[in-house]
Structures are given as structure tokens and as C-alpha cells.
Amino acid sequence: MATWHGRVETTEWLTPTLVRVVLGGEGLAGLTMPDATDTYVNVAIPPVGAPYAAVFSPAEVRETQPKETWPARRRYTVRDWDAAAGLLSLDFVVHGDEGAAGPWAATARPGDVLVFEGPGSGFLPDPTADWHLLVGDESALPAIAASLEAIPAGRRAIVRLVCDGPGFEIPLTCAGDLDLLWLHRTGAVDDVDLLPDAVADVAFPEGRVDAFVHGEADEIRAIRRHLISDRGVPRADMSCSPYWRRTMTDEAWRAVKRDYVAAMDADVA
Ligand SMILES: Cc1cc2nc3c(=O)[nH]c(=O)nc-3n(C[C@H](O)[C@H](O)[C@H](O)COP(=O)(O)OP(=O)(O)OC[C@H]3O[C@@H](n4cnc5c(N)ncnc54)[C@H](O)[C@@H]3O)c2cc1C
């Protein structure tokens, strides 16, 4: 995978927990993006005091440095790539003081360096579908926002999103016929049911759906099970992926993700 680095040009708080970091500079020269709306990059965030330069090769660091100094690896969606200006926008959820990427983004300043590998991707709204279902939390907002911008006029797009309250919503643009509902967490344990319940309440239009369902693992698992078992949506018509998991760092999540995804499949075998 190719390695790149961007220098922070600007940061902008879109909501109290979502910060947009715009990267630019010579380290992005030659970067190209696939034709997709969920394109992601693997960012590499070194621990404080790491004994290597701000611009580094993750592969070389892993070969030559002790493990405790290796950068934390996290995936982030490309919200926008302005090829003409050479500017890359990533939207980071800042979920308290925990983690590597959230705190990095919260404190990023112009000139700071972000090394990343990629890009990779997998989804583009299906132009042959009859309607679109897009479901997720703030971590999926960049991909859902980019997907909505790719949906043409006249096409139905049903969107269910969860966030912390009215002040945490962001404007979304779609040429299609948009049915958008924001759910608001209350801090109660049944917040985990907000998205699955909202999807269960949707009156599905006629025709073939193209579903994009991404976010917290247990929420995605419940929605996927519902779509396949109760709604009869073929697997080929859905992109469902657990981006992160409550109580787990990304390292802990990656260590069990394969088994979790296998269990998700077995739910509806
Ligand atoms: C393909 C892909 C694309 C992604 N795109 C984006 C994106 O564009 N923007 C984005 O913000 N995230 C995105 N994510 C999710 C992001 O990679 C994870 O949320 C990651 O764990 C955040 O890393 P961290 O260092 O901030 O926290 P970690 O060190 O991984 O976790 C620390 C603690 O925070 C919790 N936590 C992690 N993420 C969240 C969250 N979103 N909300 C609340 N608590 C959380 C963990 O459960 C853990 O308890 C994407 C993931 C994938 C796989």
C-alpha cells in the first residue's frame, strides 16, 4: 500500500464532537481516489515522543523500532478529495479523551503532519437500484454524506442517523428524494436500539434496495440481521460493516473482528 503524508491546512468543528481536518502539501502529490463514496485511508498516529521523524514509513518503523513506539493505525473515510487544490478532508469523531485518532484530531494544528496508507474502498450507490437505505452513526457520516451527494434526482434515499442531540446534526445534500431522520442518544443503555428500531419502523418502498449500514458493531449486527431475516434483502444488495465497537480500542476490535463478522454471518445462515 502506498504511503502518503499531509500537512494540516485547517481544522473546523462541524459539531461539538466532529472535527474536519483538511490536509494538503507536497506529500499528497500523485494521490488519486477510486470512484467510490466510502473511500478510506489508514492513518498512522505515532505515540507522543516517538523516536522517528514526523514524516515516516509505517512499514520501516515496524521493521526497525520497538513495538511500543509503533504508530496507532486507524481507518478514516475520505470526505472529500479536491484533486485540483490537492486538499484531502477527513472528518474525525472526537469521543472524549480516549484513543489515538480522536485526540489527535481534536488538537491538530496547521502544519501538523498526518501519515497515511491507502486509499481503499468498496461502495458506490448502485445506479440500478430502485431506492437507497443509508444507516449509521457519526463515524459513517462522511461516507453517507458523500453517498447522498452521488444519488441522482428522482431516486428515493431513506436515511437514519444517530447522534448526541439536535446540536450534533449536520446539513446533508442530496439531489434525490430524501427521507432523513436523526435519532438522539439519551445516554441510556437502550441507545444501542435507536438505529435498529428506526430501521424496523421504515415502510420499505417497492423495488430493489441498495443498503449501506455502517457504524457501531452491535448496532450494525442487529440491523443486518433484520434486513436479511425480516425484510429478505439479499446480501449482494447491502454493504454492512462494523466500523468500531463499544468499549474496545481499534487494536482490541481488530483482534476479534474476524470472529465477530463470522458470528454475524452465522446469525442469518
Ligand atoms: C473503513 C472505516 C472507515 C471509517 N471512517 C471513519 C470516519 O470517517 N470518521 C470517524 O470518526 N471514524 C471512522 N471510522 C471509525 C474509526 O476508525 C474508529 O472509531 C476508531 O476506533 C477511532 O479511533 P480512536 O483512536 O479515536 O479510538 P480508539 O482508541 O479506537 O478507542 C478508544 C475508545 O473510544 C471508543 N470509540 C471508538 N470510536 C468511537 C466512536 N466513533 N464513537 C464513540 N466511541 C468510540 C472505543 O470503543 C474505545 O472505548 C472508520 C472505520 C472504518 C473501518
Side-chain angles (χ1 to χ4, degrees):
M1 241 184 199
T3 301
W4 311 88
H5 70 273
R7 285 188 190 276
V8 175
E9 298 271 341
T10 57
T11 62
E12 178 191 2
W13 287 89
L14 306 179
T15 77
T17 56
L18 192 65
V19 64
R20 174 163 297 164
V21 177
V22 179
L23 303 167
E26 75 291 344
L28 302 183
L31 181 62
T32 57
M33 292 293 164
D35 186 18
T37 53
D38 72 339
T39 303
Y40 61 85
V41 293
N42 295 304
V43 306
I45 299 177
V48 174
Y52 43 89
V55 178
F56 61 90
S57 153
E60 200 177 302
V61 164
R62 283 191 291 271
E63 275 165 28
T64 60
Q65 301 290 335
K67 196 166 184 182
E68 60 275 14
T69 72
W70 291 2
R73 291 174 53 227
R74 300 286 186 267
R75 283 192 170 164
Y76 281 84
T77 304
V78 172
R79 176 61 185 89
D80 186 58
W81 167 237
D82 180 339
L87 295 175
L88 179 74
S89 300
L90 307 176
D91 293 351
F92 292 78
V93 178
V94 178
H95 42 87
D97 299 331
E98 279 182 278
W104 178 85
T107 56
R109 296 286 171 267
D112 287 356
V113 170
L114 184 64
V115 170
F116 64 91
E117 296 172 292
S121 69
F123 179 80
L124 185 65
D126 179 352
T128 69
D130 294 299
W131 63 283
H132 301 272
L133 176 68
L134 299 113
V135 182
D137 62 18
E138 299 90 336
S139 68
L141 255 183
I144 290 177
S147 298
L148 286 174
E149 288 166 7
I151 290 173
R155 186 81 58 76
R156 194 91 197 272
I158 299 181
V159 183
R160 298 292 179 264
L161 294 165
V162 65
C163 69
D164 286 338
F168 296 75
E169 299 174 7
I170 62 167
L172 295 166
T173 306
C174 181
D177 169 14
L178 182 62
D179 166 355
L180 167 64
L181 183 65
W182 289 91
L183 294 317
H184 299 142
R185 299 184 189 96
T186 63
V189 283
D190 58 2
D191 279 349
V192 67
D193 299 325
L194 286 169
L195 277 179
D197 287 352
V199 174
D201 283 346
V202 171
F204 275 28
E206 287 297 310
R208 191 166 69 80
V209 65
D210 172 34
F212 183 87
V213 182
H214 294 247
E216 198 282 325
D218 292 340
E219 299 175 30
I220 300 314
R221 183 175 186 168
I223 296 165
R224 182 178 181 275
R225 191 165 47 222
H226 168 70
L227 291 179
I228 295 174
S229 298
D230 305 333
R231 305 284 194 156
V233 177
R235 287 171 176 76
D237 291 342
M238 62 175 72
S239 167
C240 288
S241 151
Y243 274 175
W244 64 281
R245 189 155 176 209
R246 274 189 186 80
T247 73
M248 289 190 181
T249 64
D250 203 50
E251 286 77 16
W253 173 225
R254 288 201 305 267
V256 298
K257 191 171 177 179
R258 187 186 297 262
D259 289 345
Y260 187 93
V261 170
M264 266 173 74
D265 272 338
D267 282 349
V268 283

